[in-house]
């Protein structure tokens, strides 16, 4: 079981290391090589703990497996800090701190090697062994403590959920590493004072038996796994997050199309690129930005045709259905107002009454893409689901196009003779790309 535990852990860690160094379209995240060194060092440390590997290397040099595993563990601890320095410090300061840590690592490994050789030559002197362990746990404990404090502090400032939980998982792993260091310190005191509280060089039959193996075997294993998972979790979840975002962008883009076609048929000049119908799957963010901007610009252009009477009638209908005061109810009211405005714009005949104000919550709503899209999705759904109320104060009877304005409300087909310019018609050269009050795409002025 011990063989399977340590060998399996080593294989998992090597797989994580390979994931980090693999190409990402010519781009590798900051700290990639430090993370790869960390995972590879941990893998080699665990491999050296496996009884089969231990017997193989000790058949050449007695007891050398301990030196190898401890050296790889300290190398991994140094790589952890190097990774953190590269993420949080400027390049010059990070390089300086990494150089100091590498020098400290070299000194520690040299000291451990010297005491190990002296111990073997003198017949396993307990004093020399205690000096060896003291160097090991001093460097490991200091590194684990430093990393624990920094990762926990950064987890509080992180805005990404996956990164925040990843750093907290890493902090818990550092806690197990400190537990292991405390056990080694206790063993050191026992050996140095000759108390005999911990049997020297006794082997573990399982991760938990005898009881001391919970600290000497299980604690470091759990520490390595938690640190590995915590540092790798954001990198693993990022592609999944991107996939979910692209799916949301595509679904939102499609769901907004009916509303977009309605409002741009009344105000075709706001369409940024009327001749483009193909949507690049790799640039969905831009296309969704553009669709949201064009809908919002149409709503602004239709302001002279928005009427309070339509809004009041739609609000009364929403109250009757029990949706008043909810985002869905406000969207139903806004959809009715937009539908009446579109119908009036098509006929060129303004409705009677005062101009209706913007939708409730417009000023308090975040101006970013998710918030604007979520609101317009509710409006688009209401636009196609509910017809506008009948008593909407349609165009004045003195205008012959009044019946046409009412016919184009949500749920009612527009008259054939009332077709306006479609988005397929070229936009005027002076058309504004986007209102400054709306979210702007990264390449807003470019053709898609």
């Amino acid at each position: 079981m011990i063989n399977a535990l340590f060998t399996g852990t080593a294989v998992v860690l090597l797989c994580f290391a390979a994931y980090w160094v693999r190409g990402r379209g010519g781009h590798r995240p900051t700290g990639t090589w430090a993370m790869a060194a960390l995972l590879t060092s941990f893998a080699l440390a665990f491999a050296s703990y496996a009884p089969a590997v231990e017997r193989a290397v000790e058949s050449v040099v007695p007891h050398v497996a301990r030196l190898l595993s401890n050296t790889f563990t300290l190398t991994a601890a140094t790589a952890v800090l190097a990774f953190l320095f590269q993420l949080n410090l400027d390049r010059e300061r990070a390089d300086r701190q990494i150089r100091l840590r590498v020098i400290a690592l070299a000194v520690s490994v040299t000291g451990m090697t010297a005491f190990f050789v002296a111990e073997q030559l003198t017949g396993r002197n307990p004093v020399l062994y205690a000096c060896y362990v003291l160097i090991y746990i001093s460097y490991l404990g200091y590194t684990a403590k430093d990393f624990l404090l920094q990762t926990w502090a950064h987890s509080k400032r992180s805005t990404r959920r996956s990164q925040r939980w990843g750093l907290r998982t890493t902090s818990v792993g550092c806690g197990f590493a400190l537990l292991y260091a405390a056990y080694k310190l206790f063993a050191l005191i026992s050996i140095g004072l000759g108390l005999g509280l911990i049997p020297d060089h006794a082997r573990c039959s399982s991760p938990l038996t005898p009881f001391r193996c919970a600290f000497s075997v299980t604690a470091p294993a759990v520490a390595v796994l938690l640190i590995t998972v915590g540092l790798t979790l954001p990198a693993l979840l990022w592609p999944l997050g991107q996939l979910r975002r692209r799916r949301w962008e595509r679904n939102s883009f499609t769901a907004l199309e009916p509303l977009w076609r309605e409002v741009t048929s009344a105000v075709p000049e706001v369409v940024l690129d009327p001749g483009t119908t193909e949507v690049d799957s790799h640039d969905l963010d831009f296309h969704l930005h553009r669709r949201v901007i064009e809908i919002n610009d149409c709503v602004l252009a239709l302001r002279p045709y928005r009427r309070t009477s339509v809004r009041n009638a739609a609000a009364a209908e929403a109250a009757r259905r029990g949706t008043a005061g909810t985002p869905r109810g406000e969207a139903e009211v806004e959809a009715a107002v937009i539908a009446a405005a579109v119908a009036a714009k098509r006929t060129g005949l303004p409705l009677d009454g005062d101009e209706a104000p913007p939708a409730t919550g417009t000023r308090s709503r975040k101006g970013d893409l998710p918030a604007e899209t979520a609101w317009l999705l509710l409006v688009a759904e209401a636009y196609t689901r509910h017809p506008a109320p009948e008593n909407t104060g349609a165009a004045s009877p003195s205008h012959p196009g009044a019946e046409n304005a009412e016919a184009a409300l949500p749920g009612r087909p527009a008259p054939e003779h009332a077709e306006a310019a479609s988005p397929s018609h070229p936009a005027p050269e002076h058309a504004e790309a986007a209102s400054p009050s709306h979210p702007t795409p990264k390449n807003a002025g470019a053709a898609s």
Side-chain angles (χ1 to χ4, degrees):
M1 183 175 181
I2 294 293
N3 264 321
L5 172 65
F6 286 113
T7 305
T9 302
V11 171
V12 170
L13 292 171
L14 287 175
C15 291
F16 277 123
Y19 174 81
W20 270 89
V21 300
R22 71 180 181 86
R24 291 174 173 82
H27 168 72
R28 287 187 173 89
T30 301
T32 291
W33 297 110
M35 176 59 69
L38 160 69
L39 298 174
T40 303
S41 300
F42 271 148
L44 294 175
F46 271 85
S48 65
Y49 273 120
V53 176
E54 185 178 355
R55 285 192 296 268
V57 297
E58 290 188 353
S59 64
V60 180
V61 179
H63 309 294
V64 76
R66 182 188 68 197
L67 176 63
L68 292 176
S69 62
N70 293 159
T71 300
F72 289 136
T73 300
L74 295 187
T75 303
T78 304
V80 164
L81 285 180
F83 177 78
L84 188 66
F85 291 149
Q86 289 180 333
L87 285 182
N88 300 313
L89 302 177
D90 59 79
R91 185 180 183 86
E92 184 178 349
R93 289 182 60 196
D95 291 342
R96 183 169 61 252
Q97 290 293 333
I98 292 172
R99 279 196 301 271
L100 292 175
R101 297 289 179 168
V102 171
I103 292 173
L105 173 66
V107 171
S108 299
V109 171
T110 301
M112 289 166 54
T113 304
F115 282 114
F116 172 79
V117 173
E119 182 192 1
Q120 299 304 310
L121 295 176
T122 58
R124 300 181 62 76
N125 187 302
V127 176
L128 296 175
Y129 177 70
C131 293
Y132 170 94
V133 174
L134 181 61
I135 295 175
Y136 172 66
I137 63 172
S138 297
Y139 189 91
L140 179 64
Y142 173 73
T143 304
K145 181 268 302 180
D146 195 21
F147 193 55
L148 169 62
L149 295 177
Q150 294 195 49
T151 52
W152 188 259
H154 283 292
S155 70
K156 295 179 180 180
R157 298 193 297 267
S158 177
T159 56
R160 288 175 51 195
R161 181 181 299 178
S162 61
Q163 189 177 65
R164 184 166 60 250
W165 283 106
L167 289 172
R168 289 177 180 175
T169 302
T170 302
S171 300
V172 175
C174 291
F176 277 95
L178 288 174
L179 181 65
Y180 170 68
Y183 162 78
K184 297 296 287 185
L185 179 61
F186 179 76
L188 175 63
I189 296 173
S190 174
I191 294 171
L193 299 179
L195 301 178
L197 298 176
I198 297 178
D200 189 21
H201 305 299
R203 296 182 181 276
C204 296
S205 58
S206 78
L208 299 175
T209 55
F211 178 70
R212 65 179 182 80
C213 295
F215 301 98
S216 62
V217 174
T218 305
V222 172
V224 170
L225 289 178
L226 289 178
I227 291 173
T228 301
V229 170
L231 293 177
T232 310
L233 184 64
L236 291 175
L237 293 182
W238 185 83
L240 297 179
Q242 291 298 104
L243 180 63
R244 288 181 58 191
R245 180 177 178 83
R246 284 196 295 269
R247 184 172 59 186
W248 171 80
E249 289 171 347
R250 179 175 293 280
N251 292 341
S252 300
F253 182 84
T254 302
L256 290 177
E257 183 171 2
L259 176 62
W260 175 81
R261 290 194 178 279
E262 281 291 304
V263 294
T264 55
S265 67
V267 193
E269 61 270 16
V270 306
V271 179
L272 296 176
D273 189 5
T276 300
T277 57
E278 295 295 327
V279 176
D280 184 1
S281 61
H282 299 290
D283 204 12
L284 284 170
D285 177 69
F286 166 73
H287 291 291
L288 180 60
H289 261 101
R290 194 178 76 175
R291 178 151 290 183
V292 168
I293 287 172
E294 290 172 352
I295 293 175
N296 280 334
D297 282 351
C298 286
V299 171
L300 287 176
L302 291 170
R303 285 180 62 182
Y305 300 91
R306 297 169 59 92
R307 286 296 171 261
T308 302
S309 57
V310 177
R311 190 177 190 277
N312 292 341
E317 181 65 17
R320 187 186 65 79
R321 287 195 293 264
T323 59
T326 66
R328 186 175 297 275
E330 297 297 339
E332 291 171 356
V333 173
E334 180 67 6
V337 174
I338 293 175
V342 167
K345 177 67 166 60
R346 282 172 174 164
T347 61
L349 304 173
L351 299 175
D352 289 339
D354 298 330
E355 181 181 314
T360 304
T362 299
R363 293 182 181 274
S364 60
R365 188 170 62 248
K366 290 183 178 180
D368 56 12
L369 180 64
E372 289 295 323
T373 303
W375 164 249
L376 291 179
L377 286 173
L378 290 176
V379 175
E381 181 186 5
Y383 199 97
T384 57
R385 188 177 69 245
H386 294 300
E390 297 295 337
N391 53 337
T392 55
S396 171
S398 61
H399 296 300
E403 62 276 11
N404 292 339
E406 185 177 352
L409 296 175
R412 303 175 188 175
E416 295 182 5
H417 63 274
E419 284 193 12
S422 70
S424 61
H425 295 163
E429 295 180 2
H430 62 276
E432 297 253 344
S435 168
S437 63
H438 300 309
T440 305
K442 305 166 195 170
N443 49 351
S448 64

Short mmCIF file of all heavy atoms in Angstrom, two decimals, residues 328-365:
data_model
loop_
_atom_site.label_atom_id
_atom_site.label_comp_id
_atom_site.label_asym_id
_atom_site.label_seq_id
_atom_site.Cartn_x
_atom_site.Cartn_y
_atom_site.Cartn_z
N ARG A 328 -38.52 40.89 -13.88
CA ARG A 328 -39.31 40.39 -15.00
C ARG A 328 -40.46 41.34 -15.33
O ARG A 328 -40.75 41.61 -16.51
CB ARG A 328 -39.83 39.00 -14.67
CG ARG A 328 -40.54 38.31 -15.83
CD ARG A 328 -40.94 36.89 -15.45
NE ARG A 328 -39.75 36.10 -15.17
CZ ARG A 328 -39.03 35.48 -16.11
NH1 ARG A 328 -39.41 35.56 -17.38
NH2 ARG A 328 -37.97 34.77 -15.79
N GLY A 329 -41.11 41.86 -14.29
CA GLY A 329 -42.21 42.79 -14.52
C GLY A 329 -41.74 44.09 -15.14
O GLY A 329 -42.38 44.62 -16.05
N GLU A 330 -40.60 44.62 -14.67
CA GLU A 330 -40.06 45.84 -15.27
C GLU A 330 -39.67 45.62 -16.72
O GLU A 330 -39.82 46.51 -17.57
CB GLU A 330 -38.84 46.31 -14.47
CG GLU A 330 -39.14 46.69 -13.03
CD GLU A 330 -40.09 47.88 -12.92
OE1 GLU A 330 -40.19 48.63 -13.90
OE2 GLU A 330 -40.73 48.05 -11.86
N ALA A 331 -39.16 44.41 -17.03
CA ALA A 331 -38.81 44.10 -18.41
C ALA A 331 -40.05 44.03 -19.30
O ALA A 331 -40.02 44.45 -20.47
CB ALA A 331 -38.04 42.77 -18.47
N GLU A 332 -41.15 43.51 -18.75
CA GLU A 332 -42.40 43.46 -19.52
C GLU A 332 -42.88 44.87 -19.84
O GLU A 332 -43.35 45.14 -20.95
CB GLU A 332 -43.45 42.69 -18.72
CG GLU A 332 -43.15 41.20 -18.60
CD GLU A 332 -44.09 40.51 -17.61
OE1 GLU A 332 -44.91 41.21 -16.98
OE2 GLU A 332 -43.98 39.27 -17.47
N VAL A 333 -42.77 45.77 -18.86
CA VAL A 333 -43.19 47.16 -19.09
C VAL A 333 -42.30 47.79 -20.16
O VAL A 333 -42.79 48.46 -21.09
CB VAL A 333 -43.11 47.96 -17.78
CG1 VAL A 333 -43.38 49.44 -18.04
CG2 VAL A 333 -44.12 47.41 -16.77
N GLU A 334 -40.98 47.61 -20.03
CA GLU A 334 -40.07 48.20 -21.01
C GLU A 334 -40.31 47.63 -22.40
O GLU A 334 -40.23 48.35 -23.40
CB GLU A 334 -38.62 47.94 -20.57
CG GLU A 334 -37.56 48.49 -21.50
CD GLU A 334 -37.53 50.01 -21.54
OE1 GLU A 334 -38.26 50.66 -20.76
OE2 GLU A 334 -36.76 50.56 -22.37
N ALA A 335 -40.60 46.32 -22.50
CA ALA A 335 -40.85 45.71 -23.81
C ALA A 335 -42.07 46.33 -24.47
O ALA A 335 -42.09 46.59 -25.69
CB ALA A 335 -41.03 44.20 -23.65
N ALA A 336 -43.12 46.59 -23.68
CA ALA A 336 -44.32 47.21 -24.24
C ALA A 336 -44.03 48.62 -24.73
O ALA A 336 -44.50 49.04 -25.80
CB ALA A 336 -45.43 47.21 -23.19
N VAL A 337 -43.26 49.38 -23.96
CA VAL A 337 -42.92 50.74 -24.36
C VAL A 337 -42.10 50.74 -25.64
O VAL A 337 -42.34 51.53 -26.57
CB VAL A 337 -42.15 51.45 -23.21
CG1 VAL A 337 -41.65 52.82 -23.67
CG2 VAL A 337 -43.04 51.60 -21.99
N ILE A 338 -41.11 49.82 -25.72
CA ILE A 338 -40.28 49.75 -26.93
C ILE A 338 -41.11 49.34 -28.13
O ILE A 338 -40.95 49.88 -29.23
CB ILE A 338 -39.12 48.76 -26.70
CG1 ILE A 338 -38.15 49.31 -25.65
CG2 ILE A 338 -38.38 48.49 -28.01
CD1 ILE A 338 -37.04 48.34 -25.28
N ALA A 339 -42.02 48.37 -27.94
CA ALA A 339 -42.84 47.90 -29.06
C ALA A 339 -43.69 49.03 -29.63
O ALA A 339 -43.80 49.21 -30.85
CB ALA A 339 -43.72 46.75 -28.60
N ALA A 340 -44.31 49.81 -28.74
CA ALA A 340 -45.13 50.93 -29.20
C ALA A 340 -44.26 51.99 -29.89
O ALA A 340 -44.67 52.58 -30.90
CB ALA A 340 -45.89 51.54 -28.03
N ALA A 341 -43.06 52.22 -29.35
CA ALA A 341 -42.17 53.21 -29.95
C ALA A 341 -41.71 52.76 -31.33
O ALA A 341 -41.61 53.56 -32.27
CB ALA A 341 -40.96 53.44 -29.04
N VAL A 342 -41.40 51.45 -31.48
CA VAL A 342 -40.99 50.93 -32.78
C VAL A 342 -42.12 51.09 -33.80
O VAL A 342 -41.90 51.51 -34.95
CB VAL A 342 -40.58 49.45 -32.65
CG1 VAL A 342 -40.45 48.80 -34.04
CG2 VAL A 342 -39.27 49.33 -31.89
N ALA A 343 -43.34 50.76 -33.38
CA ALA A 343 -44.48 50.90 -34.30
C ALA A 343 -44.69 52.35 -34.73
O ALA A 343 -44.94 52.65 -35.90
CB ALA A 343 -45.74 50.36 -33.62
N ALA A 344 -44.55 53.27 -33.77
CA ALA A 344 -44.73 54.69 -34.10
C ALA A 344 -43.61 55.19 -35.00
O ALA A 344 -43.85 55.97 -35.93
CB ALA A 344 -44.77 55.50 -32.81
N LYS A 345 -42.39 54.72 -34.77
CA LYS A 345 -41.26 55.14 -35.59
C LYS A 345 -41.41 54.64 -37.02
O LYS A 345 -41.08 55.33 -37.99
CB LYS A 345 -39.96 54.62 -34.98
CG LYS A 345 -38.70 54.94 -35.79
CD LYS A 345 -38.43 56.43 -35.81
CE LYS A 345 -37.01 56.73 -36.32
NZ LYS A 345 -36.77 56.26 -37.67
N ARG A 346 -41.92 53.43 -37.16
CA ARG A 346 -42.10 52.88 -38.52
C ARG A 346 -43.08 53.72 -39.32
O ARG A 346 -42.91 53.93 -40.52
CB ARG A 346 -42.61 51.44 -38.43
CG ARG A 346 -41.53 50.42 -38.10
CD ARG A 346 -42.16 49.07 -37.85
NE ARG A 346 -41.15 48.03 -37.66
CZ ARG A 346 -41.40 46.85 -37.15
NH1 ARG A 346 -42.63 46.55 -36.74
NH2 ARG A 346 -40.44 45.96 -37.02
N THR A 347 -44.14 54.16 -38.66
CA THR A 347 -45.15 54.96 -39.38
C THR A 347 -44.76 56.42 -39.47
O THR A 347 -45.37 57.18 -40.24
CB THR A 347 -46.51 54.85 -38.66
OG1 THR A 347 -46.37 55.36 -37.34
CG2 THR A 347 -46.97 53.40 -38.61
N GLY A 348 -43.77 56.82 -38.67
CA GLY A 348 -43.37 58.22 -38.65
C GLY A 348 -44.33 59.11 -37.90
O GLY A 348 -44.27 60.33 -38.03
N LEU A 349 -45.22 58.52 -37.10
CA LEU A 349 -46.24 59.29 -36.38
C LEU A 349 -46.01 59.14 -34.89
O LEU A 349 -46.14 58.05 -34.34
CB LEU A 349 -47.64 58.77 -36.73
CG LEU A 349 -47.98 58.77 -38.23
CD1 LEU A 349 -49.32 58.09 -38.45
CD2 LEU A 349 -47.99 60.19 -38.76
N PRO A 350 -45.68 60.22 -34.18
CA PRO A 350 -45.47 60.11 -32.73
C PRO A 350 -46.77 59.82 -32.01
O PRO A 350 -47.85 60.25 -32.43
CB PRO A 350 -44.92 61.48 -32.36
CG PRO A 350 -45.43 62.40 -33.41
CD PRO A 350 -45.49 61.58 -34.68
N LEU A 351 -46.69 59.09 -30.90
CA LEU A 351 -47.86 58.83 -30.07
C LEU A 351 -48.21 60.06 -29.25
O LEU A 351 -47.37 60.91 -28.99
CB LEU A 351 -47.60 57.64 -29.14
CG LEU A 351 -47.29 56.31 -29.83
CD1 LEU A 351 -46.94 55.26 -28.80
CD2 LEU A 351 -48.48 55.85 -30.66
N ASP A 352 -49.47 60.13 -28.84
CA ASP A 352 -49.90 61.24 -28.00
C ASP A 352 -49.39 61.04 -26.57
O ASP A 352 -49.19 59.93 -26.11
CB ASP A 352 -51.43 61.33 -27.98
CG ASP A 352 -51.97 61.82 -29.32
OD1 ASP A 352 -51.19 62.46 -30.06
OD2 ASP A 352 -53.15 61.55 -29.61
N GLY A 353 -49.24 62.13 -25.83
CA GLY A 353 -48.89 62.06 -24.41
C GLY A 353 -47.44 62.40 -24.14
O GLY A 353 -46.67 62.74 -25.04
N ASP A 354 -47.07 62.33 -22.84
CA ASP A 354 -45.72 62.67 -22.41
C ASP A 354 -44.75 61.54 -22.72
O ASP A 354 -45.13 60.37 -22.82
CB ASP A 354 -45.72 62.95 -20.90
CG ASP A 354 -46.60 64.14 -20.53
OD1 ASP A 354 -46.72 65.04 -21.38
OD2 ASP A 354 -47.15 64.15 -19.42
N GLU A 355 -43.48 61.94 -22.81
CA GLU A 355 -42.42 60.95 -23.06
C GLU A 355 -42.18 60.11 -21.81
O GLU A 355 -42.02 60.62 -20.71
CB GLU A 355 -41.13 61.65 -23.48
CG GLU A 355 -39.99 60.70 -23.77
CD GLU A 355 -38.72 61.44 -24.16
OE1 GLU A 355 -38.83 62.38 -24.99
OE2 GLU A 355 -37.65 61.11 -23.63
N ALA A 356 -42.15 58.79 -21.97
CA ALA A 356 -41.93 57.88 -20.84
C ALA A 356 -40.47 57.92 -20.41
O ALA A 356 -39.57 58.02 -21.24
CB ALA A 356 -42.33 56.46 -21.22
N PRO A 357 -40.20 57.86 -19.09
CA PRO A 357 -38.81 57.86 -18.61
C PRO A 357 -38.13 56.53 -18.91
O PRO A 357 -38.78 55.56 -19.31
CB PRO A 357 -38.97 58.07 -17.10
CG PRO A 357 -40.31 57.48 -16.79
CD PRO A 357 -41.18 57.77 -18.00
N PRO A 358 -36.82 56.45 -18.72
CA PRO A 358 -36.12 55.18 -18.91
C PRO A 358 -36.67 54.11 -17.95
O PRO A 358 -37.34 54.42 -16.97
CB PRO A 358 -34.66 55.52 -18.58
CG PRO A 358 -34.56 56.99 -18.77
CD PRO A 358 -35.89 57.55 -18.40
N ALA A 359 -36.35 52.87 -18.23
CA ALA A 359 -36.82 51.77 -17.41
C ALA A 359 -36.33 51.90 -15.98
O ALA A 359 -35.24 52.43 -15.71
CB ALA A 359 -36.35 50.43 -18.00
N THR A 360 -37.13 51.42 -15.03
CA THR A 360 -36.76 51.47 -13.62
C THR A 360 -35.46 50.70 -13.40
O THR A 360 -35.28 49.59 -13.89
CB THR A 360 -37.87 50.85 -12.76
OG1 THR A 360 -39.09 51.54 -13.03
CG2 THR A 360 -37.53 50.95 -11.28
N GLY A 361 -34.54 51.30 -12.63
CA GLY A 361 -33.27 50.64 -12.32
C GLY A 361 -32.18 50.87 -13.34
O GLY A 361 -31.08 50.33 -13.18
N THR A 362 -32.44 51.70 -14.36
CA THR A 362 -31.43 51.94 -15.38
C THR A 362 -30.20 52.62 -14.79
O THR A 362 -29.07 52.25 -15.10
CB THR A 362 -32.01 52.81 -16.51
OG1 THR A 362 -33.11 52.11 -17.12
CG2 THR A 362 -30.96 53.10 -17.57
N ARG A 363 -30.41 53.59 -13.92
CA ARG A 363 -29.28 54.32 -13.36
C ARG A 363 -28.47 53.46 -12.39
O ARG A 363 -27.25 53.57 -12.32
CB ARG A 363 -29.78 55.58 -12.63
CG ARG A 363 -30.38 56.61 -13.56
CD ARG A 363 -30.81 57.84 -12.77
NE ARG A 363 -31.43 58.84 -13.64
CZ ARG A 363 -30.75 59.76 -14.32
NH1 ARG A 363 -29.43 59.79 -14.23
NH2 ARG A 363 -31.37 60.63 -15.08
N SER A 364 -29.13 52.60 -11.63
CA SER A 364 -28.43 51.79 -10.62
C SER A 364 -27.81 50.54 -11.20
O SER A 364 -26.97 49.91 -10.56
CB SER A 364 -29.40 51.40 -9.50
OG SER A 364 -30.48 50.64 -10.02
N ARG A 365 -28.18 50.16 -12.42
CA ARG A 365 -27.66 48.93 -13.00
C ARG A 365 -26.20 49.11 -13.41
O ARG A 365 -25.81 50.16 -13.91
CB ARG A 365 -28.49 48.54 -14.23
CG ARG A 365 -28.15 47.17 -14.79
CD ARG A 365 -29.17 46.73 -15.83
NE ARG A 365 -29.24 47.61 -16.98
CZ ARG A 365 -30.27 48.38 -17.29
NH1 ARG A 365 -31.33 48.40 -16.51
NH2 ARG A 365 -30.25 49.16 -18.36
#
